[in-house]
Amino acid sequence: MTKSSRSDPARITHINVPKASDILAEQLRSLILNGQYQPGELLPAERDLVHSSGISRTSVRDALRLLEVEGLITTRPGRAGGSTVRQVGRDAVARPLQLYVRSREIDLASLFDCRLAVEPFLAGRTAANRTEADLAHIEEIHAAFLAEEDISHYKRLNLDWHLAIAAASHNDLLYTLMEAISDPIFETSGYQQATTAEMRKAAKTAHEAILEAVRARNEPLARKRMERHLTAYINTVSARHGDPSRRSEPPASEEHQTP
Amino acid sequence: MTKSSRSDPARITHINVPKASDILAEQLRSLILNGQYQPGELLPAERDLVHSSGISRTSVRDALRLLEVEGLITTRPGRAGGSTVRQVGRDAVARPLQLYVRSREIDLASLFDCRLAVEPFLAGRTAANRTEADLAHIEEIHAAFLAEEDISHYKRLNLDWHLAIAAASHNDLLYTLMEAISDPIFETSGYQQATTAEMRKAAKTAHEAILEAVRARNEPLARKRMERHLTAYINTVSARHGDPSRRSEPPASEEHQTP
DNA sequence: AAGATCGAAATGTCGGACCAAAACACGAAT
DNA sequence: ATTCGTGTTTTGGTCCGACATTTCGATCTT
């Protein structure tokens, strides 16, 4: 047998045998994304799709299941049920990302790197784009954060504070990424280690400073301060973790931010 | 709503009726993520799962389909087929993100904001972490980029250049995000508009400068130059697009509008 | 021994039946 | 007239059994 017919040994891409459900799913997905089905609208009933597509109900259901996992539709039983088109939600991005992190066993350092890349930028955008309502919401959480003493609540409020800052940037996509990244960090055991009173004090003053820059609509300042805040935190954690390899230097001018 | 509600039914979370397949999927997912099934290993055959789980093959297949969409397994027909555990791939993150962007109709400005947040950071990290092999690979693409004259090839090589820089940062997660974001940008019509010879010239000198900083392992310089490069590009594009609202500029002057 | 052929084992597809949930229609009780 | 059941209808959810398709291994042939 001539190894691989004739002249082309390895040039062809791996042949992909499409399943019937994949084809239908692709068609429906295309219709949805092109706006032929608006969010809130109902797709045809399964048995109707069977009739109009010519494939069995098993395959039709498989296709719908695919779209459901992708977050494009939700499907409910009952008389007025069916498959409703919806906008893809944040969780449809966050869940795969979380699986990716867990499956690849991404380490804390990389996760914090992501925050370090995204959060200062978002803080700057928030300073630039925030509305008064945004500010009010942030102040509310900030007040609760300052007042909180209980450790477990503290951690939650800390995260909420950062998310509130990110949300006020009015960049939906970046906020979604930030939220998606925060989740694995929050659940990683390394992050759950004890937070000392010292660290909490430092965090509170840092938050205060950042918030002040946001109030003043000072974009570069908010960005810089958020960067310092995160860097300081990372250094503290990795130092305590007995992992000095990941120390990052403070940006530019030394200001001796931490105790 | 967030008022104190004692003993009244407004507090319960939305009831979640789990499908049979969801339960099995959850169990298998947990087994996989906890390492009970290593990547490359085979899950039990569908009919075995039917026997051991007690649910029908329809539901078992549904569960497996779920895991497949999540990227945790691949399943092939045939005698030695079955469901093979695998590490979650980049595309399992990129695809949902792309759907999110298309479904929410995220505008180009937000997408570029993402690049502006991520890429300079990655360029810095690349300057810090690159190996000689990384550098060689980048230089190779860079040379091709400089030499290319054809427009369509140019765009592809331009993207490749940026991806190569990002890949050399050795931060898997951030690179994945960068790649995932680049894809929608590349396909958006607004980006596909004509690229003038002027812009290409500017890009080539900018790339040269960035690469020089990467060679010199100068982290802040690489970062700064990448930031300038992207900002300049965004300004050019949005100016041409007749959309002056997204100019990146100091917030200096105040808008005069009705209070 | 190389090649063709057949069988076995696994997923993929099908059709039909039935179950469960949810809204609706309609009638009885208040 | 309003409310409360109660049944009906429509829809997705589940099960079953059969067959199709793919792939590998074994056996047979030359």
Side-chain angles (χ1 to χ4, degrees):
Chain A
M1 176 182 69
T2 59
K3 298 280 191 183
S4 67
S5 59
R6 284 311 163 127
S7 52
D8 257 319
R11 232 343 103 180
I12 53 177
T13 61
H14 189 248
I15 187 134
N16 199 12
V17 185
K19 284 184 276 194
S21 51
D22 290 327
I23 300 179
L24 178 56
E26 171 54 33
Q27 288 184 16
L28 290 174
R29 189 185 302 121
S30 173
L31 286 176
I32 292 173
L33 290 178
N34 287 10
Q36 318 258 20
Y37 286 105
Q38 293 288 328
E41 213 169 330
L42 273 167
L43 257 48
E46 292 181 355
R47 287 161 176 100
D48 292 343
L49 285 174
V50 169
H51 186 263
S52 59
S53 71
I55 62 180
S56 74
R57 191 166 164 227
T58 307
S59 297
V60 168
R61 283 181 56 76
D62 212 21
L64 292 176
R65 183 59 185 253
L66 188 58
L67 298 181
E68 191 184 11
V69 175
E70 291 179 341
L72 286 168
I73 64 175
T74 58
T75 147
R76 296 168 315 169
R79 176 164 180 164
S83 298
T84 313
V85 178
R86 70 167 200 180
Q87 272 195 328
V88 174
R90 277 191 248 285
D91 46 320
V93 175
R95 266 186 58 85
L97 197 70
Q98 192 166 352
L99 282 177
Y100 183 83
V101 169
R102 289 201 56 182
S103 174
R104 303 277 267 243
E105 294 174 342
I106 306 284
D107 55 359
L108 253 192
S110 297
L111 286 170
F112 270 121
D113 253 17
C114 288
R115 281 188 66 176
L116 200 50
V118 171
E119 272 208 75
F121 184 89
L122 279 177
R125 281 287 190 264
T126 291
N129 301 337
R130 70 166 180 83
T131 66
E132 292 305 317
D134 292 330
L135 187 58
H137 180 233
I138 295 176
E139 299 270 16
E140 189 180 342
I141 292 183
H142 184 63
F145 173 74
L146 289 181
E148 187 59 55
E149 290 299 331
D150 179 58
I151 287 254
S152 61
H153 285 63
Y154 167 85
K155 281 175 181 160
R156 182 65 228 181
L157 276 172
N158 191 356
L159 179 56
D160 285 344
W161 188 92
H162 282 269
L163 287 179
I165 291 282
S169 70
H170 293 278
N171 185 322
D172 206 34
L173 183 52
L174 263 180
Y175 173 75
T176 297
L177 291 180
M178 158 83 186
E179 190 188 64
I181 291 165
S182 300
D183 212 38
I185 289 183
F186 196 73
E187 287 180 1
T188 303
S189 59
Y191 177 73
Q192 292 290 1
Q193 64 184 354
T195 304
T196 66
E198 205 174 345
M199 288 168 67
R200 288 158 66 178
K201 181 110 190 293
K204 285 178 180 177
T205 53
H207 284 197
E208 186 63 58
I210 295 166
L211 185 47
E212 183 197 318
V214 168
R215 283 197 203 96
R217 296 191 187 276
N218 190 330
E219 174 158 5
L221 187 60
R223 178 173 175 171
K224 199 77 178 174
R225 284 181 172 167
M226 180 64 91
E227 187 172 349
R228 286 223 185 100
H229 172 42
L230 292 178
T231 307
Y233 179 80
I234 293 172
N235 281 343
T236 305
V237 168
S238 56
R240 150 178 327 225
H241 213 64
D243 174 25
S245 68
R246 280 309 298 167
R247 297 295 277 267
S248 10
E249 281 114 68
S253 59
E254 275 286 4
E255 211 189 52
H256 225 45
Q257 161 102 0
T258 47
Chain B
M1 294 170 205
T2 37
K3 301 299 185 231
S4 63
S5 53
R6 57 182 63 209
S7 80
D8 62 0
R11 248 341 183 185
I12 55 177
T13 64
H14 190 248
I15 186 97
N16 199 11
V17 189
K19 284 184 275 193
S21 51
D22 291 327
I23 300 179
L24 176 57
E26 170 55 34
Q27 288 184 16
L28 290 175
R29 188 185 302 121
S30 173
L31 286 175
I32 291 173
L33 290 178
N34 288 10
Q36 319 259 18
Y37 285 106
Q38 293 287 331
E41 213 170 329
L42 272 170
L43 256 48
E46 292 180 356
R47 275 138 180 126
D48 292 343
L49 286 174
V50 168
H51 187 264
S52 59
S53 70
I55 63 181
S56 73
R57 189 168 163 230
T58 307
S59 297
V60 168
R61 283 181 56 77
D62 212 21
L64 292 176
R65 176 71 158 176
L66 188 56
L67 299 181
E68 190 184 11
V69 174
E70 291 179 341
L72 286 168
I73 64 174
T74 57
T75 148
R76 295 170 317 169
R79 176 162 180 159
S83 298
T84 313
V85 178
R86 68 167 203 181
Q87 271 195 327
V88 173
R90 276 191 249 285
D91 46 322
V93 175
R95 266 186 58 84
L97 197 71
Q98 192 167 352
L99 282 177
Y100 183 83
V101 169
R102 289 201 57 181
S103 173
R104 302 278 267 243
E105 294 176 340
I106 306 284
D107 56 358
L108 252 192
S110 297
L111 286 170
F112 269 121
D113 255 16
C114 288
R115 282 189 66 176
L116 199 49
V118 171
E119 272 209 75
F121 185 89
L122 279 177
R125 281 286 191 265
T126 290
N129 301 337
R130 69 168 180 81
T131 66
E132 291 306 317
D134 292 329
L135 187 59
H137 180 233
I138 295 176
E139 299 271 16
E140 188 179 342
I141 291 184
H142 184 64
F145 173 74
L146 288 182
E148 187 59 55
E149 290 300 331
D150 179 57
I151 286 253
S152 62
H153 285 63
Y154 167 84
K155 282 175 180 162
R156 182 66 228 180
L157 276 173
N158 190 357
L159 179 57
D160 285 344
W161 187 92
H162 282 268
L163 287 178
I165 291 281
S169 69
H170 293 280
N171 185 321
D172 206 33
L173 183 52
L174 263 180
Y175 172 75
T176 297
L177 291 180
M178 159 83 185
E179 191 188 63
I181 291 165
S182 300
D183 211 36
I185 288 184
F186 196 72
E187 288 181 359
T188 302
S189 59
Y191 177 71
Q192 292 290 1
Q193 63 185 353
T195 304
T196 67
E198 203 177 344
M199 289 169 67
R200 289 159 66 177
K201 182 109 191 293
K204 286 178 179 177
T205 54
H207 284 196
E208 186 63 58
I210 295 167
L211 185 47
E212 182 197 318
V214 168
R215 284 197 203 97
R217 296 193 188 276
N218 190 332
E219 174 159 7
L221 187 60
R223 179 173 175 171
K224 196 74 182 174
R225 283 179 173 169
M226 180 65 90
E227 187 172 349
R228 287 225 184 95
H229 172 41
L230 291 178
T231 306
Y233 179 79
I234 292 172
N235 282 342
T236 304
V237 168
S238 55
R240 155 181 321 234
H241 213 62
D243 174 26
S245 68
R246 279 310 298 167
R247 299 293 280 268
S248 298
E249 222 114 33
S253 62
E254 274 310 306
E255 65 284 345
H256 82 97
Q257 55 185 6
T258 59

